[in-house]
Coordinates of all heavy atoms in Angstrom, one line a residue:
M1 N -11.6 21.1 0.2 CA -12.2 19.9 -0.3 C -13.1 19.2 0.7 O -12.7 19.1 1.9 CB -11.0 18.9 -0.7 CG -11.1 18.5 -2.1 SD -9.9 17.1 -2.4 CE -9.3 17.7 -3.9
E2 N -14.2 18.8 0.3 CA -15.1 18.1 1.2 C -14.7 16.7 1.4 O -13.9 16.1 0.7 CB -16.5 18.2 0.7 CG -17.1 19.6 0.6 CD -18.6 19.5 0.2 OE1 -19.3 18.6 0.6 OE2 -19.0 20.5 -0.5
D3 N -15.2 16.1 2.5 CA -14.9 14.7 2.8 C -15.3 13.8 1.7 O -14.6 12.8 1.5 CB -15.6 14.3 4.1 CG -15.0 15.0 5.3 OD1 -13.9 15.5 5.2 OD2 -15.7 15.1 6.4
Q4 N -16.5 14.0 1.1 CA -16.9 13.1 0.0 C -16.0 13.2 -1.2 O -15.7 12.1 -1.8 CB -18.3 13.5 -0.4 CG -19.4 13.2 0.6 CD -20.8 13.6 0.2 OE1 -20.9 14.4 -0.8 NE2 -21.8 13.1 0.9
Q5 N -15.4 14.3 -1.5 CA -14.5 14.4 -2.6 C -13.2 13.7 -2.3 O -12.6 13.0 -3.1 CB -14.2 15.9 -2.9 CG -15.4 16.6 -3.5 CD -15.1 18.1 -3.6 OE1 -14.3 18.7 -2.9 NE2 -15.8 18.7 -4.6
V6 N -12.7 13.8 -1.1 CA -11.5 13.1 -0.6 C -11.8 11.6 -0.7 O -10.9 10.8 -1.1 CB -11.1 13.6 0.8 CG1 -9.9 12.7 1.3 CG2 -10.6 15.0 0.8
G7 N -12.9 11.2 -0.2 CA -13.3 9.8 -0.2 C -13.4 9.2 -1.6 O -13.0 8.1 -1.9
L8 N -13.9 10.0 -2.6 CA -14.0 9.6 -4.0 C -12.6 9.5 -4.6 O -12.4 8.5 -5.3 CB -14.8 10.6 -4.8 CG -15.0 10.3 -6.3 CD1 -15.7 9.0 -6.5 CD2 -15.6 11.5 -7.0
I9 N -11.8 10.4 -4.3 CA -10.4 10.3 -4.8 C -9.7 9.1 -4.3 O -9.0 8.4 -5.0 CB -9.6 11.6 -4.5 CG1 -10.2 12.8 -5.3 CG2 -8.1 11.5 -4.7 CD1 -9.6 14.1 -4.9
M10 N -9.9 8.8 -3.0 CA -9.2 7.6 -2.4 C -9.8 6.4 -3.0 O -9.1 5.4 -3.2 CB -9.4 7.7 -0.9 CG -8.6 8.7 -0.2 SD -9.0 8.9 1.6 CE -8.7 7.3 2.2
L11 N -11.1 6.3 -3.2 CA -11.7 5.2 -3.8 C -11.2 4.9 -5.3 O -10.9 3.8 -5.6 CB -13.3 5.3 -3.8 CG -14.0 4.2 -4.5 CD1 -13.9 2.9 -3.7 CD2 -15.5 4.6 -4.6
L12 N -11.1 6.0 -6.0 CA -10.6 5.9 -7.4 C -9.2 5.4 -7.4 O -8.8 4.6 -8.2 CB -10.8 7.2 -8.1 CG -12.3 7.6 -8.5 CD1 -12.3 9.0 -9.1 CD2 -12.9 6.6 -9.3
L13 N -8.4 6.0 -6.5 CA -7.0 5.6 -6.4 C -6.9 4.1 -6.1 O -6.1 3.3 -6.7 CB -6.2 6.4 -5.4 CG -4.7 6.2 -5.3 CD1 -4.0 6.4 -6.6 CD2 -4.2 7.0 -4.1
A14 N -7.6 3.7 -5.1 CA -7.6 2.3 -4.7 C -8.1 1.3 -5.8 O -7.5 0.3 -6.0 CB -8.5 2.0 -3.4
T15 N -9.1 1.8 -6.5 CA -9.6 1.0 -7.7 C -8.5 0.9 -8.7 O -8.3 -0.2 -9.3 CB -10.9 1.6 -8.2 OG1 -11.8 1.7 -7.2 CG2 -11.4 0.8 -9.4
F16 N -7.9 2.0 -9.1 CA -6.8 2.0 -10.1 C -5.7 1.0 -9.6 O -5.2 0.2 -10.4 CB -6.2 3.4 -10.3 CG -5.0 3.4 -11.2 CD1 -5.2 3.3 -12.5 CD2 -3.8 3.5 -10.6 CE1 -4.0 3.3 -13.4 CE2 -2.6 3.6 -11.4 CZ -2.8 3.4 -12.8
I17 N -5.2 1.1 -8.4 CA -4.1 0.3 -7.9 C -4.6 -1.2 -8.0 O -3.8 -2.1 -8.4 CB -3.7 0.7 -6.5 CG1 -3.0 2.0 -6.5 CG2 -2.8 -0.4 -5.8 CD1 -2.8 2.6 -5.1
F18 N -5.8 -1.5 -7.6 CA -6.3 -2.9 -7.6 C -6.3 -3.4 -9.1 O -5.8 -4.5 -9.3 CB -7.7 -3.0 -7.0 CG -8.3 -4.3 -7.1 CD1 -7.9 -5.4 -6.3 CD2 -9.2 -4.6 -8.1 CE1 -8.4 -6.6 -6.4 CE2 -9.8 -5.9 -8.2 CZ -9.4 -6.9 -7.4
V19 N -6.8 -2.6 -10.0 CA -6.9 -3.1 -11.4 C -5.5 -3.2 -12.0 O -5.1 -4.2 -12.6 CB -7.7 -2.1 -12.2 CG1 -7.6 -2.4 -13.7 CG2 -9.2 -2.2 -11.8
Y20 N -4.6 -2.3 -11.7 CA -3.2 -2.3 -12.2 C -2.5 -3.6 -11.7 O -1.9 -4.3 -12.4 CB -2.5 -1.0 -11.8 CG -1.0 -1.0 -12.2 CD1 -0.7 -0.5 -13.5 CD2 0.0 -1.4 -11.4 CE1 0.6 -0.4 -13.9 CE2 1.3 -1.4 -11.9 CZ 1.6 -0.8 -13.1 OH 2.9 -0.8 -13.6
Y21 N -2.6 -3.8 -10.4 CA -1.9 -4.9 -9.7 C -2.5 -6.3 -10.2 O -1.7 -7.2 -10.5 CB -2.0 -4.9 -8.2 CG -1.2 -5.9 -7.5 CD1 0.2 -5.7 -7.4 CD2 -1.8 -7.0 -7.0 CE1 1.0 -6.7 -6.7 CE2 -1.0 -8.0 -6.3 CZ 0.4 -7.8 -6.2 OH 1.1 -8.7 -5.6
T22 N -3.8 -6.3 -10.4 CA -4.4 -7.5 -10.9 C -3.9 -7.9 -12.3 O -3.6 -9.0 -12.6 CB -6.0 -7.4 -10.9 OG1 -6.4 -7.1 -9.6 CG2 -6.6 -8.7 -11.4
I23 N -3.9 -6.9 -13.2 CA -3.4 -7.1 -14.6 C -1.9 -7.5 -14.5 O -1.5 -8.4 -15.2 CB -3.6 -5.8 -15.4 CG1 -5.1 -5.6 -15.7 CG2 -2.9 -5.9 -16.8 CD1 -5.4 -4.3 -16.3
W24 N -1.2 -6.8 -13.7 CA 0.3 -7.0 -13.5 C 0.6 -8.5 -13.1 O 1.5 -9.1 -13.7 CB 0.8 -6.1 -12.5 CG 2.3 -6.1 -12.3 CD1 3.3 -6.5 -13.2 CD2 3.0 -5.5 -11.2 NE1 4.5 -6.3 -12.6 CE2 4.4 -5.6 -11.5 CE3 2.6 -4.8 -10.1 CZ2 5.3 -5.2 -10.6 CZ3 3.6 -4.3 -9.2 CH2 4.9 -4.5 -9.5
T25 N -0.2 -9.0 -12.2 CA 0.1 -10.3 -11.7 C -0.6 -11.5 -12.4 O -0.1 -12.6 -12.4 CB -0.3 -10.4 -10.2 OG1 -1.7 -10.1 -10.0 CG2 0.6 -9.5 -9.3
F26 N -1.8 -11.2 -13.0 CA -2.6 -12.3 -13.6 C -2.6 -12.3 -15.1 O -2.9 -13.3 -15.7 CB -4.0 -12.3 -13.1 CG -4.1 -12.6 -11.6 CD1 -4.8 -11.7 -10.8 CD2 -3.6 -13.8 -11.1 CE1 -4.9 -12.0 -9.4 CE2 -3.7 -14.1 -9.7 CZ -4.4 -13.2 -8.9
V27 N -2.3 -11.2 -15.7 CA -2.4 -11.1 -17.2 C -1.0 -11.1 -17.8 O -0.8 -11.8 -18.8 CB -3.2 -9.9 -17.6 CG1 -3.2 -9.7 -19.1 CG2 -4.6 -10.0 -17.1
T28 N -0.1 -10.3 -17.3 CA 1.2 -10.1 -18.0 C 2.1 -11.4 -18.0 O 2.8 -11.6 -19.0 CB 2.1 -9.0 -17.3 OG1 2.3 -9.3 -15.9 CG2 1.4 -7.7 -17.5
P29 N 1.9 -12.4 -17.1 CA 2.7 -13.6 -17.3 C 2.3 -14.4 -18.6 O 3.1 -15.2 -19.1 CB 2.4 -14.4 -16.1 CG 2.0 -13.4 -15.0 CD 1.3 -12.4 -15.8
F30 N 1.1 -14.2 -19.1 CA 0.7 -14.9 -20.3 C 0.8 -14.1 -21.6 O 0.4 -14.6 -22.6 CB -0.8 -15.3 -20.1 CG -1.0 -16.2 -18.9 CD1 -1.6 -15.6 -17.7 CD2 -0.6 -17.5 -18.8 CE1 -1.8 -16.4 -16.6 CE2 -0.7 -18.3 -17.7 CZ -1.4 -17.7 -16.6
I31 N 1.4 -12.9 -21.5 CA 1.7 -12.1 -22.7 C 3.2 -12.2 -23.0 O 4.0 -12.3 -22.1 CB 1.3 -10.6 -22.4 CG1 -0.2 -10.6 -22.1 CG2 1.6 -9.8 -23.6 CD1 -0.7 -9.2 -21.7
A32 N 3.5 -12.2 -24.3 CA 4.9 -12.3 -24.7 C 5.7 -11.1 -24.2 O 5.2 -10.0 -24.0 CB 4.9 -12.3 -26.2
D33 N 7.0 -11.4 -23.9 CA 7.8 -10.4 -23.3 C 8.0 -9.1 -24.2 O 8.3 -8.1 -23.7 CB 9.2 -11.0 -22.9 CG 9.1 -11.9 -21.7 OD1 8.1 -11.8 -21.0 OD2 10.0 -12.8 -21.6
D34 N 7.9 -9.3 -25.5 CA 8.1 -8.2 -26.4 C 6.8 -7.4 -26.7 O 6.9 -6.5 -27.5 CB 8.8 -8.7 -27.7 CG 8.0 -9.7 -28.4 OD1 7.0 -10.2 -27.8 OD2 8.3 -10.0 -29.6
N35 N 5.7 -7.8 -26.1 CA 4.5 -7.1 -26.3 C 4.6 -5.7 -25.7 O 5.2 -5.5 -24.6 CB 3.3 -7.8 -25.6 CG 2.0 -7.3 -26.0 OD1 1.7 -6.1 -26.1 ND2 1.1 -8.3 -26.3
I36 N 3.9 -4.7 -26.3 CA 4.0 -3.3 -25.8 C 3.4 -3.1 -24.4 O 3.7 -2.3 -23.7 CB 3.3 -2.3 -26.8 CG1 3.7 -0.9 -26.5 CG2 1.8 -2.5 -26.9 CD1 3.4 0.1 -27.6
L37 N 2.4 -4.0 -24.1 CA 1.8 -3.9 -22.8 C 2.8 -4.2 -21.6 O 2.6 -3.6 -20.5 CB 0.6 -5.0 -22.7 CG -0.2 -4.9 -21.5 CD1 -1.0 -3.6 -21.4 CD2 -1.2 -6.1 -21.5
Q38 N 3.8 -5.0 -21.9 CA 4.8 -5.3 -20.9 C 5.6 -4.0 -20.5 O 6.1 -4.0 -19.4 CB 5.8 -6.3 -21.4 CG 5.2 -7.7 -21.6 CD 4.9 -8.4 -20.3 OE1 5.2 -7.9 -19.2 NE2 4.5 -9.6 -20.4
Y39 N 5.6 -3.0 -21.3 CA 6.4 -1.8 -21.0 C 5.7 -0.9 -19.9 O 6.3 0.0 -19.3 CB 6.7 -0.9 -22.2 CG 7.5 -1.6 -23.2 CD1 7.0 -2.0 -24.5 CD2 8.9 -1.9 -22.9 CE1 7.9 -2.7 -25.4 CE2 9.7 -2.6 -23.8 CZ 9.2 -2.9 -25.1 OH 10.0 -3.6 -25.9
F40 N 4.5 -1.2 -19.6 CA 3.7 -0.4 -18.6 C 3.9 -1.0 -17.2 O 3.4 -0.4 -16.3 CB 2.2 -0.4 -19.0 CG 1.9 0.4 -20.2 CD1 1.6 -0.2 -21.4 CD2 2.1 1.8 -20.2 CE1 1.3 0.5 -22.5 CE2 1.8 2.5 -21.4 CZ 1.4 1.8 -22.5
F41 N 4.6 -2.1 -17.1 CA 4.7 -2.8 -15.8 C 6.1 -3.0 -15.5 O 7.0 -3.3 -16.3 CB 3.9 -4.1 -15.8 CG 2.5 -4.0 -16.1 CD1 2.0 -4.1 -17.4 CD2 1.6 -3.7 -15.1 CE1 0.6 -4.0 -17.7 CE2 0.2 -3.5 -15.4 CZ -0.2 -3.7 -16.7
L42 N 6.4 -3.0 -14.2 CA 7.8 -3.3 -13.7 C 7.9 -4.8 -13.8 O 7.0 -5.6 -14.0 CB 7.9 -2.9 -12.2 CG 7.9 -1.4 -11.9 CD1 7.8 -1.2 -10.4 CD2 9.1 -0.8 -12.4
P43 N 9.2 -5.3 -13.6 CA 9.4 -6.8 -13.6 C 8.5 -7.4 -12.5 O 8.2 -6.9 -11.5 CB 10.9 -6.9 -13.3 CG 11.5 -5.6 -13.8 CD 10.4 -4.6 -13.5
R44 N 8.2 -8.7 -12.8 CA 7.3 -9.4 -11.8 C 7.9 -9.6 -10.4 O 7.1 -9.8 -9.5 CB 6.9 -10.7 -12.4 CG 5.9 -10.6 -13.5 CD 5.3 -11.9 -14.0 NE 6.2 -12.6 -14.9 CZ 6.3 -12.4 -16.2 NH1 5.6 -11.4 -16.8 NH2 7.1 -13.1 -17.0
Y45 N 9.2 -9.5 -10.3 CA 9.8 -9.6 -9.0 C 9.2 -8.5 -8.0 O 8.9 -8.8 -6.9 CB 11.3 -9.4 -9.1 CG 12.0 -9.0 -7.8 CD1 12.3 -10.1 -6.9 CD2 12.3 -7.7 -7.4 CE1 12.9 -9.8 -5.7 CE2 12.9 -7.5 -6.2 CZ 13.2 -8.5 -5.4 OH 13.8 -8.2 -4.2
Y46 N 8.9 -7.3 -8.6 CA 8.4 -6.2 -7.7 C 6.9 -6.4 -7.4 O 6.4 -5.8 -6.5 CB 8.6 -4.9 -8.5 CG 10.0 -4.5 -8.6 CD1 10.7 -4.6 -9.8 CD2 10.7 -4.1 -7.5 CE1 12.0 -4.3 -10.0 CE2 12.1 -3.8 -7.6 CZ 12.7 -3.8 -8.8 OH 14.0 -3.5 -8.9
A47 N 6.2 -7.3 -8.1 CA 4.8 -7.6 -7.7 C 4.7 -8.3 -6.4 O 3.7 -8.2 -5.7 CB 4.2 -8.5 -8.8
I48 N 5.8 -8.9 -5.9 CA 5.9 -9.5 -4.6 C 6.6 -8.6 -3.6 O 6.2 -8.4 -2.5 CB 6.5 -10.9 -4.7 CG1 5.8 -11.8 -5.6 CG2 6.7 -11.5 -3.3 CD1 4.4 -12.1 -5.2
A49 N 7.7 -8.0 -4.1 CA 8.6 -7.3 -3.2 C 7.9 -6.0 -2.7 O 8.0 -5.7 -1.5 CB 9.9 -6.9 -4.0
L50 N 7.2 -5.3 -3.6 CA 6.6 -4.0 -3.1 C 5.5 -4.2 -2.1 O 5.5 -3.5 -1.0 CB 6.0 -3.3 -4.3 CG 7.0 -2.7 -5.3 CD1 6.4 -2.0 -6.5 CD2 7.9 -1.7 -4.6
P51 N 4.6 -5.2 -2.2 CA 3.6 -5.4 -1.1 C 4.3 -5.9 0.2 O 3.8 -5.5 1.3 CB 2.7 -6.5 -1.7 CG 2.8 -6.4 -3.1 CD 4.2 -5.9 -3.4
V52 N 5.3 -6.7 0.1 CA 6.0 -7.1 1.3 C 6.6 -6.0 2.0 O 6.5 -5.8 3.2 CB 7.1 -8.2 0.9 CG1 8.0 -8.5 2.1 CG2 6.4 -9.5 0.5
V53 N 7.3 -5.1 1.3 CA 7.9 -3.9 1.9 C 6.8 -3.0 2.5 O 7.0 -2.5 3.6 CB 8.7 -3.1 0.8 CG1 9.1 -1.8 1.4 CG2 10.0 -3.9 0.5
A54 N 5.7 -2.8 1.8 CA 4.6 -2.0 2.3 C 4.0 -2.6 3.6 O 3.7 -1.9 4.5 CB 3.5 -1.9 1.2
L55 N 3.9 -3.9 3.6 CA 3.4 -4.6 4.8 C 4.4 -4.4 6.0 O 3.9 -4.1 7.1 CB 3.2 -6.1 4.5 CG 2.6 -6.9 5.7 CD1 1.2 -6.5 6.0 CD2 2.7 -8.4 5.3
I56 N 5.7 -4.5 5.8 CA 6.6 -4.4 6.8 C 6.6 -2.9 7.3 O 6.6 -2.7 8.6 CB 8.1 -4.8 6.3 CG1 8.1 -6.3 6.1 CG2 9.1 -4.3 7.3 CD1 9.4 -6.8 5.4
V57 N 6.6 -2.0 6.4 CA 6.5 -0.6 6.9 C 5.3 -0.3 7.6 O 5.3 0.4 8.7 CB 6.7 0.4 5.6 CG1 6.3 1.8 6.0 CG2 8.1 0.3 5.1
G58 N 4.1 -0.8 7.2 CA 2.9 -0.6 7.9 C 2.9 -1.2 9.2 O 2.4 -0.6 10.2
V59 N 3.4 -2.4 9.4 CA 3.4 -3.1 10.7 C 4.3 -2.3 11.6 O 4.0 -2.1 12.8 CB 3.9 -4.5 10.6 CG1 4.3 -5.1 11.9 CG2 2.8 -5.4 9.9
C60 N 5.5 -1.8 11.1 CA 6.4 -1.0 11.9 C 5.7 0.3 12.4 O 5.8 0.7 13.5 CB 7.6 -0.7 11.2 SG 8.7 -2.1 11.0
L61 N 4.9 1.0 11.5 CA 4.3 2.2 11.9 C 3.2 2.0 12.9 O 3.1 2.7 13.9 CB 3.6 2.9 10.6 CG 4.6 3.5 9.7 CD1 3.9 4.0 8.4 CD2 5.3 4.6 10.3
V62 N 2.4 0.9 12.7 CA 1.3 0.6 13.7 C 2.0 0.2 15.1 O 1.5 0.7 16.1 CB 0.4 -0.6 13.2 CG1 -0.5 -1.1 14.3 CG2 -0.4 -0.1 12.0
T63 N 3.0 -0.6 15.1 CA 3.7 -0.9 16.3 C 4.3 0.3 17.0 O 4.2 0.4 18.2 CB 4.8 -2.0 16.0 OG1 4.2 -3.1 15.3 CG2 5.4 -2.5 17.3
S64 N 4.9 1.2 16.2 CA 5.5 2.4 16.8 C 4.4 3.3 17.4 O 4.5 3.8 18.5 CB 6.2 3.2 15.7 OG 7.3 2.5 15.2
F65 N 3.2 3.4 16.7 CA 2.1 4.2 17.2 C 1.6 3.6 18.5 O 1.3 4.3 19.5 CB 1.0 4.3 16.2 CG -0.2 5.0 16.7 CD1 -0.2 6.3 16.8 CD2 -1.3 4.3 17.0 CE1 -1.3 7.0 17.3 CE2 -2.5 4.9 17.5 CZ -2.5 6.3 17.6
I66 N 1.4 2.3 18.6 CA 0.9 1.6 19.8 C 1.9 1.8 20.9 O 1.5 2.2 22.1 CB 0.7 0.1 19.6 CG1 -0.5 0.0 18.6 CG2 0.4 -0.6 20.9 CD1 -0.8 -1.4 18.2
G67 N 3.2 1.7 20.7 CA 4.2 1.9 21.7 C 4.2 3.4 22.2 O 4.3 3.6 23.4
F68 N 4.0 4.3 21.3 CA 4.0 5.7 21.6 C 2.8 6.0 22.5 O 2.9 6.7 23.6 CB 3.9 6.6 20.4 CG 3.7 8.1 20.7 CD1 4.8 8.8 21.1 CD2 2.5 8.7 20.5 CE1 4.6 10.2 21.4 CE2 2.3 10.0 20.7 CZ 3.4 10.8 21.2
V69 N 1.6 5.4 22.2 CA 0.4 5.6 23.0 C 0.6 5.0 24.4 O 0.2 5.6 25.4 CB -0.8 5.0 22.3 CG1 -2.0 5.0 23.2 CG2 -1.1 5.8 21.1
I70 N 1.2 3.8 24.5 CA 1.4 3.1 25.8 C 2.4 4.0 26.6 O 2.1 4.2 27.8 CB 2.0 1.7 25.6 CG1 0.9 0.8 25.0 CG2 2.5 1.1 26.9 CD1 1.4 -0.6 24.6
I71 N 3.4 4.5 26.1 CA 4.4 5.3 26.8 C 3.7 6.6 27.3 O 3.9 7.0 28.4 CB 5.7 5.6 26.0 CG1 6.5 4.3 25.8 CG2 6.5 6.7 26.6 CD1 7.6 4.4 24.8
K72 N 3.0 7.2 26.4 CA 2.3 8.5 26.7 C 1.3 8.2 27.9 O 1.2 9.0 28.8 CB 1.7 9.1 25.5 CG 1.2 10.5 25.7 CD 0.8 11.1 24.4 CE 0.3 12.5 24.6 NZ -0.1 13.1 23.3
S73 N 0.5 7.2 27.8 CA -0.5 6.9 28.8 C 0.2 6.5 30.1 O -0.3 6.9 31.2 CB -1.5 5.8 28.4 OG -1.0 4.6 28.5
A74 N 1.3 5.8 30.1 CA 2.0 5.5 31.3 C 2.6 6.8 32.0 O 2.5 6.9 33.2 CB 3.1 4.5 31.0
S75 N 3.1 7.7 31.2 CA 3.6 8.9 31.8 C 2.5 9.8 32.3 O 2.7 10.5 33.3 CB 4.4 9.7 30.7 OG 3.6 10.2 29.7
K76 N 1.3 9.8 31.7 CA 0.1 10.5 32.3 C -0.3 9.9 33.6 O -0.6 10.6 34.6 CB -1.0 10.5 31.3 CG -0.9 11.5 30.2 CD -2.2 11.4 29.4 CE -2.1 12.4 28.2 NZ -3.3 12.4 27.4
K77 N -0.3 8.6 33.7 CA -0.7 7.9 35.0 C 0.3 8.2 36.0 O 0.0 8.4 37.2 CB -0.8 6.4 34.7 CG -2.1 6.0 34.0 CD -2.1 4.5 33.9 CE -3.4 4.1 33.1 NZ -3.4 2.6 32.9
K78 N 1.6 8.2 35.7 CA 2.7 8.5 36.6 C 2.6 9.9 37.1 O 2.8 10.1 38.3 CB 4.0 8.2 35.9 CG 5.2 8.2 36.9 CD 6.5 7.8 36.1 CE 7.6 7.5 37.1 NZ 8.8 7.2 36.4
G79 N 2.2 10.8 36.3 CA 2.1 12.2 36.7 C 0.9 12.4 37.6 O 0.9 13.3 38.5
K80 N -0.1 11.7 37.5 CA -1.3 11.8 38.3 C -1.1 11.2 39.7 O -1.7 11.7 40.7 CB -2.5 11.1 37.7 CG -3.1 11.8 36.5 CD -4.3 11.0 36.0 CE -4.9 11.7 34.8 NZ -6.1 11.0 34.3
K81 N -0.2 10.2 39.8 CA 0.1 9.6 41.1 C 0.9 10.6 42.0 O 0.7 10.5 43.2 CB 0.8 8.3 41.0 CG 0.0 7.2 40.4 CD 0.8 5.9 40.3 CE -0.1 4.8 39.8 NZ 0.6 3.5 39.7
N82 N 1.7 11.4 41.5 CA 2.5 12.3 42.3 C 1.8 13.5 42.7 O 1.0 14.2 42.3 CB 3.8 12.7 41.5 CG 4.7 11.5 41.3 OD1 4.7 10.6 42.2 ND2 5.5 11.5 40.3

């Protein structure tokens, strides 16, 4: 797959997620609970819980990566001194 195709797939996925989340958070609260559209969405609790969990996981991954890079660069500097 070329880079442009991968970029297009990522753009389409991000667009779908944005539209889905926007409808989930801004439209479904005003639709009756027994409407068929409500069956396509999780309970509204998850509209807050899922982004919070994703944010926590993302921050942990970035922090771990930075720590790994700092440890690796410190061990390289230590190896050069000896």
Side-chain angles (χ1 to χ4, degrees):
M1 238 189 220
E2 291 186 35
D3 291 340
Q4 289 180 345
Q5 291 173 335
V6 172
L8 177 64
I9 291 170
M10 290 171 56
L11 177 66
L12 291 175
L13 181 64
T15 303
F16 172 77
I17 291 171
F18 175 76
V19 169
Y20 181 87
Y21 188 78
T22 302
I23 292 171
W24 187 17
T25 55
F26 294 124
V27 175
T28 58
F30 301 107
I31 297 175
D33 289 338
D34 58 347
N35 191 317
I36 194 165
L37 187 63
Q38 293 284 3
Y39 295 113
F40 294 107
F41 299 97
L42 292 171
R44 284 188 281 279
Y45 164 79
Y46 293 106
I48 301 298
L50 291 177
V52 167
V53 169
L55 181 66
I56 291 170
V57 168
V59 168
C60 288
L61 288 174
V62 169
T63 305
S64 298
F65 176 74
I66 290 171
F68 176 75
V69 169
I70 289 172
I71 291 171
K72 192 171 181 180
S73 80
S75 67
K76 281 185 181 179
K77 286 181 183 179
K78 193 175 189 180
K80 287 182 180 180
K81 288 183 180 179
N82 292 333

